[in-house]
């Protein structure tokens, strides 16, 4: 059997490489580098004018901006450990926010303030309108654009609302990173860096992720559903993002009471997002329990394995067991097995929900093939099968060698010709 491209299989693509992803990431990195150079020049010029070392201010601001990112990104990724999103797509979303979205927002916000709000309302009110109305519209549009690209090019990556939240939060965290460098640099010269960092880095670092997560929820709805309503879901999510963003920016005019009220609203929204993540986790577990048992005849999974796959603790023990058999390669192979099994269950879940996928049988067989190859890898060179910790006997687990996988696939097709409940077999 030729070597399988596991990443391509897990992403549901013929190849893991994507021209859209490569070009988009490259453009985003160029924009990010351009912004950092621009901020460096601002720091040097500001330092020269103030008689202090602007380079130190830039470095301090950059380090201060990294701190909330180093906390937020792991927390965001923890929301979807059952079926984590591809790393390169997450990186693309992050650097889009840190590069393209910031550049577009800087240009349009500056133009809007100089040519619209200030001429119409004067300096003071015009600045407030630009901050409360123009900036939320521009920034959420710039951030949300990458979510539409992901929906267009990677729709089948999005299996739950949590997936949309994660992509939205990642692009927003990237945006907040570059924006924080700018704010911290300005605060460094004003001698208010500690207070600015406390507000933006400690008290409310989740503001941008919450705003753009609303767009992510709308995009996820569009990815998981059919019909006319899915076309309006991203627009509705964008509208909520703009309202929340505008509410927070506008609250500064009402002092600490206004900030407290806005903070409370954002906290409630955050709790709703966390509740959605918990609900999605339970739905994934139900899908595993419902759809994987039908593949017991393949010999790749048993009920004991289904139980293992249904908890993070069980999955962790399985990876440790695989590592004891075949080291780092074994752990990696077990992770791929778990991901392939989860994707297989979610594939059937989306089919039953009415989301069409003409190549679903090809994807199914690819997942099964990956599970087979992964099993052979994490078994290592063991002379005899050893019962995993979640199985009393080796025969209680699907982790046994099979010499003829083509026969296994043929047997699975013969014994379980699955038909989605929503319609006819593809091709009929």
């Amino acid at each position: 059997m030729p070597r399988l491209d596991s990443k391509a299989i897990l992403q549901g693509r013929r190849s893991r490489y994507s021209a859209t992803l490569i070009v988009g990431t490259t453009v985003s990195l160029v924009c990010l580098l351009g912004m950092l150079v621009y901020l460096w020049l601002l720091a040097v010029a500001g330092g020269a004018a103030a008689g202090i070392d602007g380079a130190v201010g830039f470095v301090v601001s950059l380090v201060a901006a990294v701190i909330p990112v180093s906390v937020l990104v792991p927390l965001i990724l923890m929301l979807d450990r059952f079926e984590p999103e591809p790393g390169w797509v997450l990186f693309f979303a992050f650097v889009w926010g840190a590069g393209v979205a910031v550049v577009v927002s800087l240009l349009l916000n500056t133009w809007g303030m100089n040519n619209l709000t200030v001429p119409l309302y004067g300096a003071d009110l015009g600045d407030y309108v630009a901050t409360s109305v123009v900036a939320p519209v521009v920034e959420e549009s710039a951030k949300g654009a990458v979510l539409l690209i992901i929906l267009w090019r990677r729709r089948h990556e999005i299996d739950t609302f949590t997936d949309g939240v994660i992509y939205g939060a990642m692009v927003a965290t990237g945006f907040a990173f570059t924006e924080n460098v700018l704010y911290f640099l300005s605060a460094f010269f004003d001698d208010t860096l500690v207070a600015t960092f406390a507000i933006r880095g400690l008290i409310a670092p989740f503001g941008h992720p919450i705003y753009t997560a609303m767009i992510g929820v709308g995009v996820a709805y569009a990815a998981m559903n059919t019909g006319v309503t899915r076309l309006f879901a991203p627009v509705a999510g964008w509208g909520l993002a703009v309202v929340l963003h505008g509410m927070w920016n506008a609250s500064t005019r009402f002092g600490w009471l206004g900030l407290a009220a806005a903070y409370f609203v954002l906290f409630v929204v955050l709790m709703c997002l966390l509740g959605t993540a918990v609900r999605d986790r339970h739905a994934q577990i139900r899908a595993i329990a419902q759809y994987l048992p039908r593949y017991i005849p393949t010999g790749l999974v048993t009920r004991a394995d289904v139980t293992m796959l249904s908890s993070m603790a069980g999955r962790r023990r399985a990876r440790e067991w695989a590592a004891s058999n075949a080291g780092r390669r074994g752990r990696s192979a077990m992770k791929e097995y778990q991901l392939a099994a989860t994707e297989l269950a979610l594939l059937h879940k989306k089919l039953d929900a009415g989301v069409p996928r003409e190549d679903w049988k090809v994807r199914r067989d690819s997942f099964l093939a990956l599970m087979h190859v992964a099993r052979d890898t994490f078994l290592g060179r063991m002379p005899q099968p050893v019962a995993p910790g979640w199985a009393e006997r080796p025969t209680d687990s699907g982790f046994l060698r099979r010499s003829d996988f083509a026969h296994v696939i043929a047997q699975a097709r013969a014994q379980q010709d699955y038909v989605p409940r929503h319609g006819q077999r593809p091709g009929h």
Side-chain angles (χ1 to χ4, degrees):
M1 176 183 293
R3 187 178 183 275
L4 298 176
D5 189 335
S6 59
K7 294 186 183 299
I9 291 174
L10 292 171
Q11 295 176 27
R13 302 172 60 86
R14 295 181 179 179
S15 170
R16 79 181 78 176
Y17 304 106
S18 164
T20 301
L21 190 61
I22 293 172
V23 173
T25 302
T26 301
V27 171
S28 299
L29 287 172
V30 169
C31 289
L32 173 58
L33 180 61
M35 276 301 305
L36 292 178
V37 170
Y38 169 73
L39 293 172
W40 168 267
L41 295 176
L42 284 181
V44 172
I52 58 178
D53 192 345
V56 172
F58 176 81
V59 173
V60 170
S61 301
L62 187 64
V63 172
V66 168
I67 293 175
V69 171
S70 65
V71 174
L72 281 174
V73 169
L75 290 177
I76 292 168
L77 298 182
M78 282 180 63
L79 294 176
D80 196 27
R81 290 182 295 166
F82 250 59
E83 186 248 339
E85 301 307 298
W88 274 109
V89 183
L90 292 172
F91 180 73
F92 169 47
F94 181 90
V95 294
W96 176 283
V100 174
V102 170
V103 170
V104 170
S105 297
L106 178 63
L107 294 175
L108 292 183
N109 283 340
T110 302
W111 183 89
M113 179 181 296
N114 293 335
N115 296 277
L116 293 178
T117 59
V118 171
L120 287 174
Y121 303 106
D124 183 42
L125 182 58
D127 180 70
Y128 179 72
V129 172
T131 302
S132 304
V133 179
V134 176
V137 171
V138 169
E139 293 174 11
E140 295 311 319
S141 299
K143 289 183 288 181
V146 73
L147 300 181
L148 295 180
I149 294 175
I150 293 174
L151 176 63
W152 170 45
R153 301 296 296 173
R154 298 267 180 161
R155 173 181 175 181
H156 296 290
E157 293 285 359
I158 304 175
D159 299 301
T160 63
F161 287 110
T162 302
D163 292 346
V165 169
I166 288 172
Y167 285 122
M170 286 297 290
V171 63
T173 302
F175 184 93
F177 163 73
T178 307
E179 187 182 55
N180 280 341
V181 176
L182 176 61
Y183 276 96
F184 294 158
L185 186 61
S186 176
F188 177 83
F189 291 119
D190 294 341
D191 201 24
T192 57
L193 180 59
V194 173
T196 304
F197 177 79
I199 294 176
R200 297 187 64 87
L202 300 178
I203 297 176
F206 50 80
H208 275 290
I210 289 178
Y211 312 148
T212 316
M214 299 296 99
I215 306 177
V217 170
V219 166
Y221 181 92
M224 297 187 299
N225 292 274
T226 58
V228 178
T229 55
R230 70 185 180 89
L231 301 177
F232 300 99
V235 178
W238 172 83
L240 286 173
V242 170
V243 169
L244 291 175
H245 195 161
M247 174 200 68
W248 175 262
N249 288 359
S251 67
T252 58
R253 198 174 184 87
F254 303 96
W256 289 107
L257 182 61
L259 283 173
Y263 193 91
F264 175 76
V265 173
L266 292 182
F267 180 78
V268 171
V269 175
L270 176 62
M271 291 300 101
C272 291
L273 292 176
L274 294 178
T276 299
V278 172
R279 189 199 64 179
D280 285 343
R281 174 72 60 82
H282 291 162
Q284 289 174 327
I285 293 174
R286 288 195 299 271
I288 289 171
Q290 179 179 353
Y291 297 110
L292 288 189
R294 69 186 58 188
Y295 290 98
I296 290 176
T298 66
L300 290 169
V301 64
T302 67
R303 293 196 179 277
D305 300 326
V306 172
T307 301
M308 175 274 291
L309 289 165
S310 298
S311 71
M312 291 305 304
R315 290 176 176 229
R316 184 173 58 253
R317 288 195 300 269
R319 291 193 292 270
E320 292 170 354
W321 173 83
S324 67
N325 293 336
R328 184 178 299 176
R329 290 181 67 246
R331 180 184 294 274
S332 178
M334 176 60 77
K335 184 177 180 180
E336 289 185 349
Y337 175 95
Q338 293 170 343
L339 284 173
T342 305
E343 291 285 2
L344 181 61
L346 294 179
L347 172 65
H348 286 296
K349 183 175 183 292
K350 292 180 79 171
L351 287 169
D352 278 351
V355 179
R357 177 104 193 198
E358 294 181 358
D359 63 342
W360 76 270
K361 285 188 177 181
V362 175
R363 291 210 70 197
R364 176 197 64 184
D365 291 351
S366 296
F367 290 141
L368 291 172
L370 180 56
M371 290 165 68
H372 167 76
V373 173
R375 180 183 60 186
D376 275 357
T377 301
F378 61 65
L379 277 175
R381 299 183 178 276
M382 299 166 57
Q384 292 182 349
V386 175
W390 59 91
E392 296 181 3
R393 301 177 302 276
T395 52
D396 290 339
S397 175
F399 300 161
L400 302 174
R401 295 189 187 280
R402 299 292 187 273
S403 60
D404 187 358
F405 188 63
H407 170 70
V408 174
I409 289 292
Q411 182 184 25
R413 286 175 171 170
Q415 295 188 13
Q416 197 61 256
D417 190 9
Y418 175 75
V419 178
R421 289 200 299 264
H422 66 275
Q424 300 294 324
R425 292 183 176 87
H428 287 242

